[in-house]
Amino acid sequence: MAVRFPRRAGCVAGGCLLALLLMPVVAPASGAAEGVRLDQIQVIGSHNSYHAGLAPQIAALLARRDPKAAQGLDYAHADLPAQFDRGIRQIELDVYADSVGGRFAHPQSARWLAEAGLPPAETGDGAVMRRPGFKVMHIPDIDQRATCQPLLACLGQIRAWSRAHPGHLPLFVLLEIEQGSRPPLTEPEHFTARSFDALDGEIRSVFAPGELLTPDRVRGEAASLRNAVAARGWPGVDAARGKVIFLLDQRSNRDLYLKDHPGLRGRVAFTNAPPDAEDAAFTELNDGPPEAIAALVRRHMLVRTRADADTREGRSGDPARRDAALASGAQLVSTDYPDFEPARWTGYRVGFGTGLAARCNPVTAPASCRDAAIAPRAADALRLRRLVLVVRHGLRSPLADQVPSRALVDHAWPVWTGIPGDLTPEGAAQMRLLGAWERVLLAGNDVPGFAAGGCPAPDALRLRANSSRRTVASAEAFAMGLAPGCPVAVRHEPIGVPDGMFAPVEAAAGQVDVRALLPRLRAEAAAAGLLAGPPREGLAVLRRLMGCPGRGALCVDDGAPAVLDVDASGRHLTLSGSLLPASSAAEAIMLGSLSGRSAASAAWGAVRDEDFAGLSGLHAAMLHVMTGLPALAPVLSQKLRPAIVAGLTRADGPAVAVWLGHDSTIVPLLAQLGLHVHAPGYAMDDVPVGSALGFALLTDARGGHPVVQVMFQSQTPGRQRAGDERDPPDMAYLAVPGCGGGAVCPLATFTRLLGVSSP
């Protein structure tokens, strides 16, 4: 498959492996984004940006009474300045009128908690809530906790950050006016035209006229906002730097806000307007469709949409809505899970993956637009210095022992050509594409030795593969994509000779006695529930695909408990029961589906993408038992862990080191660090073909304050099957336990947690 590159060397869909932390920007040189307008860029916004999360007691109460609502409210954000620091350029504040004061000072949740026998909950500063003035919260009585209160304090935080970062991209502030009645909750005060006058007045009491970009400024001498935007678009990016732009959310409030202010004359905020209205400059299409958004964007309208809602995408990891939102060209893409706040269930997140706060709009940006010119990195931003990748080989054919015998299944298994376990043509294309994406991103991050358009410097890249045919072939294909036409050597032991980096037990030739670990391993496996039989959900999917009921053992096995043991050599674990054969059959089915084989040629019939979660659950359970138990992980990674640290720290080492191995290479590293991964479309802790565990060394501009960012890259089954060169991998940043919960870990701490002596 020929590899084409996107028009701009940037990431889409928030899924690039070399994504750096989103950092604040500084004032750029004059004309840095010359000719690019605000409607020709795209930024990430946070949904309900003030949301501090439900109080634990209220969350427990709501989970009893309305579990679905409790799930939908289970998210929280950092405070507003921290979000701006990390690249958020659009926020949302839910505003309640409280002209007398005290309306929300005594939440009814206190009584409900007492009636349920639960302790009282902290719901906000009572003194602040008793004073008159606009308040910021999500739902009265239930979800009142906010990171800033009242609205005046939130506005003060926005202005303080803006003044401390002159030349920043404009900040878009979406105001959602809350006034609907929802018994038995406290009824909000209804907004009137005078309420909106007071709201404008409060904003103007904080911001000087020159700090706001208002409808009057955008309209200029044109007859209407609609005419101005249609004729010349929004103002240029450079002209709008340092400004704050206010937007009104619900269209239902538009008439009141326009009263006595035709066409928004004299108003502060832009309304959510129908595209053909006189005040049309901004609109919302939170649920798409993408085609409608793109059409409005081409008319220079500013459009806000949502990448996710109600924690659904965060829990499922499904990137479809996110990817469609980003590709639609909507200038404001809102999420509950920006890059630095991934969903804890799946690692789902939304961002550009470039370390920048904005990118050129994928629908309307001029060809001359460059992401780095719109939002250059700050002088104190972290730089990528070293990258170590531990990669699983690409798509292969099933191993010889993965083809079930008639004792396990009742029907013939598909015939694969070539040597069992070899890299397939689809797998080679997958690895070339992976390498091509890394090439684009290494050049874009100014990694030493990886200038755009040329071959890597001789000492900038090192590739080492395990000594199997599929890993060597995968490394060679990866090198072809990473450095096409360049002389890149793939280091490896002779085929079939154990390599201690990837197989330390086999290479040690009797020096490692796994038998001594057996009591601990059995206890750990039992505690994790791994000896009670295959995961039931996965076994049900496997049996359905294999046409059960039937006489084969996989159809009639009752899931009896397994016994963990070692073989006669004392070096290899054995596992009785049905987990191993079930895992082997499940993986063979997944490999066949990913290869694009038609249902007619497959014994198992049609495999849906949703079947992968169950099938891969069997594979993940097997990986956990055989390679991921805490007592075994340090043994299986004993050579590779010091090599990773050396790759990040040695002064004479390459900028990029790639270790190409197996799932059994990656899982022990995850176990050593106490990490879990969730590749979209797969089961928790499965490691699909072509996935990678990355370790990036980041420092400041002077090379100081070294930190490590751990990343996991993968693709959904559909993306793997499609092999679209325009569709980069999904990315999850992993917070390493023991590093304070942040997205990066100090180098010394990371080294200690990896179990390696300090370099």
Side-chain angles (χ1 to χ4, degrees):
M1 177 179 64
V3 176
R4 291 189 293 107
F5 291 92
R7 180 167 60 89
R8 287 183 295 276
C11 304
V12 297
C16 298
L17 178 62
L18 303 184
L20 302 183
L21 293 176
L22 293 174
M23 300 297 290
V25 299
V26 294
S30 177
E34 185 175 356
V36 179
R37 304 187 307 267
L38 288 180
D39 56 284
Q40 294 175 320
I41 68 172
Q42 190 175 62
V43 302
I44 302 299
S46 56
H47 167 248
N48 289 349
S49 311
Y50 58 87
H51 198 245
L54 290 173
Q57 302 92 322
I58 295 178
L61 177 64
L62 197 58
R64 297 179 189 176
R65 298 186 175 182
D66 191 343
K68 185 176 180 180
Q71 284 192 354
L73 298 176
D74 189 8
Y75 64 94
H77 292 300
D79 60 37
L80 301 183
Q83 292 185 53
F84 296 145
D85 283 345
R86 304 298 292 276
I88 290 296
R89 291 297 176 265
Q90 182 256 305
I91 62 170
E92 178 185 5
L93 303 176
D94 289 359
V95 179
Y96 287 78
D98 189 12
S99 57
V100 176
R103 179 178 288 266
F104 309 106
H106 304 287
Q108 297 185 77
S109 56
R111 173 170 54 85
W112 298 335
L113 289 171
E115 292 172 351
L118 293 170
E122 184 277 316
T123 56
D125 188 333
V128 170
M129 301 302 278
R130 286 191 291 271
R131 299 185 196 117
F134 294 101
K135 305 301 191 300
V136 174
M137 72 186 85
H138 191 208
I139 303 172
D141 302 316
I142 294 175
D143 195 7
Q144 293 194 183
R145 300 203 310 171
T147 60
C148 56
Q149 193 71 266
L151 173 64
L152 199 63
C154 302
L155 298 176
Q157 290 184 10
I158 297 167
R159 183 174 189 258
W161 189 92
S162 177
R163 287 175 62 84
H165 298 80
H168 64 77
L169 278 175
L171 304 177
F172 297 89
V173 182
L174 182 68
L175 301 177
E176 181 171 351
I177 306 304
E178 299 285 2
Q179 54 182 331
S181 178
R182 288 187 281 185
L185 302 179
T186 298
E187 184 172 353
E189 179 179 330
H190 288 274
F191 267 69
T192 65
R194 293 185 63 182
S195 304
F196 281 114
D197 291 343
L199 180 62
D200 276 8
E202 191 152 300
I203 294 171
R204 286 196 168 105
S205 74
V206 174
F207 295 93
E211 295 170 339
L212 298 173
L213 182 59
T214 63
D216 289 340
R217 289 179 177 269
V218 173
R219 185 190 313 103
E221 300 300 320
S224 67
L225 266 177
R226 181 191 63 193
N227 291 350
V229 168
R232 59 177 181 264
W234 278 70
V237 169
D238 286 340
R241 291 190 187 277
K243 300 288 195 295
V244 179
I245 302 170
F246 284 87
L247 312 166
L248 283 187
D249 191 348
Q250 302 99 322
R251 190 167 290 176
S252 58
N253 295 311
R254 175 171 163 264
D255 289 343
L256 268 180
Y257 195 68
L258 286 169
K259 186 178 180 181
D260 299 327
H261 296 270
L264 293 176
R265 285 171 172 78
R267 281 301 196 191
V268 169
F270 294 84
T271 47
N272 176 2
D276 294 322
E278 292 294 300
D279 53 323
F282 161 71
T283 195
E284 291 187 358
L285 286 176
N286 287 328
D287 300 314
E291 298 79 10
I293 293 174
L296 292 174
V297 168
R298 292 188 180 98
R299 293 172 56 179
H300 312 318
M301 288 281 288
L302 204 69
V303 181
R304 184 253 196 174
T305 194
R306 292 185 64 180
D308 42 74
D310 301 322
T311 76
R312 288 190 298 269
E313 288 76 14
R315 293 174 188 275
S316 70
D318 184 358
R321 179 172 177 172
R322 174 197 71 189
D323 295 352
L326 288 166
S328 72
Q331 295 90 347
L332 313 176
V333 179
S334 179
T335 178
D336 288 327
Y337 308 103
D339 261 340
F340 54 91
E341 293 176 337
R344 68 178 185 274
W345 307 281
T346 62
Y348 168 89
R349 68 195 65 216
V350 179
F352 302 132
T354 59
L356 304 177
R359 71 169 180 173
C360 301
N361 192 290
V363 173
T364 61
S368 60
C369 184
R370 294 292 179 268
D371 295 347
I374 297 170
R377 290 192 186 94
D380 60 347
L382 295 176
R383 268 73 167 172
L384 177 63
R385 302 299 187 184
R386 295 284 183 88
L387 179 70
V388 177
L389 295 176
V390 184
V391 185
R392 185 186 177 189
H393 57 76
L395 181 63
R396 61 166 172 81
S397 61
L399 303 173
D401 59 2
Q402 282 189 297
V403 178
S405 68
R406 286 299 182 93
L408 293 176
V409 298
D410 289 334
H411 39 243
W413 207 252
V415 176
W416 293 69
T417 59
I419 298 175
D422 268 8
L423 189 72
T424 66
E426 296 87 357
Q430 176 189 33
M431 299 308 294
R432 286 195 299 272
L433 183 56
L434 176 61
W437 273 107
E438 312 309 353
R439 171 165 61 96
V440 171
L441 296 169
L442 285 167
N445 282 281
D446 300 321
V447 176
F450 283 85
C455 289
D459 58 350
L461 173 65
R462 183 172 299 163
L463 273 77
R464 180 164 171 176
N466 191 26
S467 51
S468 70
R469 290 168 55 93
R470 61 181 173 275
T471 51
V472 173
S474 292
E476 291 171 345
F478 181 90
M480 289 174 61
L482 179 64
C486 301
V488 177
V490 175
R491 305 181 184 191
H492 61 88
E493 297 290 340
I495 299 297
V497 175
D499 185 334
M501 284 293 180
F502 301 93
V505 175
E506 288 80 357
Q511 298 177 30
V512 177
D513 186 6
V514 177
R515 186 181 293 106
L517 299 175
L518 191 57
R520 285 184 58 193
L521 296 175
R522 285 173 171 168
E524 290 170 353
L530 297 169
L531 301 182
R536 292 296 176 182
E537 179 184 355
L539 197 58
V541 173
L542 179 64
R543 288 173 170 172
R544 174 177 59 79
L545 291 172
M546 297 180 70
C548 296
R551 294 172 299 171
L554 286 178
C555 287
V556 300
D557 183 86
D558 60 1
V563 176
L564 190 63
D565 212 329
V566 294
D567 65 5
S569 72
R571 291 185 293 160
H572 301 105
L573 288 176
T574 63
L575 187 68
S576 68
S578 56
L579 177 57
L580 278 179
S583 170
S584 292
E587 187 176 32
I589 290 174
M590 290 190 290
L591 293 172
S593 176
L594 293 174
S595 73
R597 288 173 170 245
S598 66
S601 67
W604 50 79
V607 181
R608 305 176 305 234
D609 280 355
E610 52 265 36
D611 293 329
F612 270 67
L615 294 172
S616 68
L618 297 169
H619 186 245
M622 181 278 297
L623 281 176
H624 192 167
V625 174
M626 306 303 286
T627 66
L629 294 173
L632 186 60
V635 176
L636 298 182
S637 60
Q638 59 184 281
K639 299 289 187 182
L640 192 53
R641 287 182 286 113
I644 290 170
V645 173
L648 296 174
T649 59
R650 281 187 55 172
D652 60 347
V656 177
V658 181
W659 300 88
L660 221 147
H662 310 265
D663 45 15
S664 57
T665 310
I666 293 175
V667 170
L669 295 171
L670 295 171
Q672 175 69 30
L673 292 170
L675 294 171
H676 296 276
V677 295
H678 194 168
Y682 289 84
M684 180 69 75
D685 290 328
D686 198 13
V687 178
V689 288
S691 55
L693 183 64
F695 304 91
L697 179 71
L698 312 173
T699 74
D700 61 23
R702 296 173 297 279
H705 302 94
V707 294
V708 177
Q709 187 174 54
V710 184
M711 305 160 285
F712 184 71
Q713 170 185 298
S714 61
Q715 285 186 303
T716 64
R719 284 179 170 179
Q720 287 178 294
R721 198 177 295 110
D724 190 341
E725 63 269 22
R726 298 164 298 179
D727 201 358
D730 283 286
M731 186 69 227
Y733 301 95
L734 308 179
V736 179
C739 290
V744 296
C745 186
L747 175 61
T749 303
F750 171 80
T751 300
R752 174 177 55 80
L753 293 172
L754 198 59
V756 178
S757 300
S758 297

